[in-house]
Amino acid sequence: MISHLHVITDLFAANPLAQSVGLFAFVIGISAFIQRSDQRLRTFLTLYCIVIGCHFFLLGSPAAAYAAWLSGLRSFISTRTRHVAVMCFFLLIVWVLGVPHITQPIQWLTIIGTTVGTWALYREQGLRMRLLLLTGTICWVTHNVVIGSIGGSLIEGSFLFVNSHTIFRLWRQQMA
C-alpha cells in the first residue's frame, strides 16, 4: 500500500498541473455516469471529454487528447442528432487524426474505445448504449494505467464501477 502511494505521489510531483486537471475530470466524469437520462449522460460526457483531453495533452499523449476532444464534440452533437452520417464523420475523423499520432501500441486502445463509444452514442440507447460505453471504458482504463495517468485511471476505473451499477439498476428495472 505504501509503495502504491509513493508511485502516485511521484506521478503527481512529476506533473502536478496535468494530474490536477485529471482529478478535476474525475469529478465531472462521475457526475456523468450516475445519470439515468441518456441525454444528461451525453451532456456530462461532453464536459468530461474536454477536461480529460486537456489532461492527456498535458501528459504528452496527443493521440489520447485528440480522441478525447473529438469524443467531447461527438457527445455534444449526439445530444442534437444521432444521424448515421454524423456518426460516420466522427469515426473517420477519429481514425484520420488519431492513427498518425500513435507512437506506442497501447495508444490503439484510445482509438478503439472512442470508436465503440461513438457507435454507442449514435446508434444505441439505454442498456445497449451503456454496455458499449463500458467496453470503451475498458479500453481507456487499460491505456490510462499503462501511461501513468492518475486521474484518467481513477475516472475510468470509477466509470467501470458506476456504469456497471447503473446498468444493473436499469436491467433490474426492465425485469420488474
Side-chain angles (χ1 to χ4, degrees), residues 8 20 29 39-40 48 54 70 77 82 90 112 118 122 144:
I8 291 171
S20 295
Q39 194 67 9
R40 286 182 55 90
Y48 163 73
C54 293
L70 285 169
I77 291 176
R82 292 180 34 206
F90 278 109
I112 294 165
T118 300
Y122 280 87
N144 295 346

Side-chain angles (χ1 to χ4, degrees), residues 107-126:
Q107 293 173 334
W108 278 102
L109 290 177
T110 65
I111 304 301
I112 294 165
T114 301
T115 299
V116 171
T118 300
W119 179 272
L121 289 172
Y122 280 87
R123 305 309 305 156
E124 305 296 341
Q125 57 187 342

Side-chain angles (χ1 to χ4, degrees), residues 15-68:
N15 199 334
L17 176 61
Q19 299 298 359
S20 295
V21 170
L23 292 172
F24 179 60
F26 173 75
V27 172
I28 296 168
I30 291 299
S31 300
F33 278 98
I34 62 172
Q35 305 301 315
R36 286 189 183 186
S37 159
D38 290 355
Q39 194 67 9
R40 286 182 55 90
L41 170 66
R42 286 181 176 94
T43 301
F44 275 86
L45 282 176
T46 299
L47 181 57
Y48 163 73
C49 289
I50 292 166
V51 177
I52 201 69
C54 293
H55 167 70
F56 289 133
F57 189 78
L58 291 169
L59 280 179
S61 186
Y66 297 140

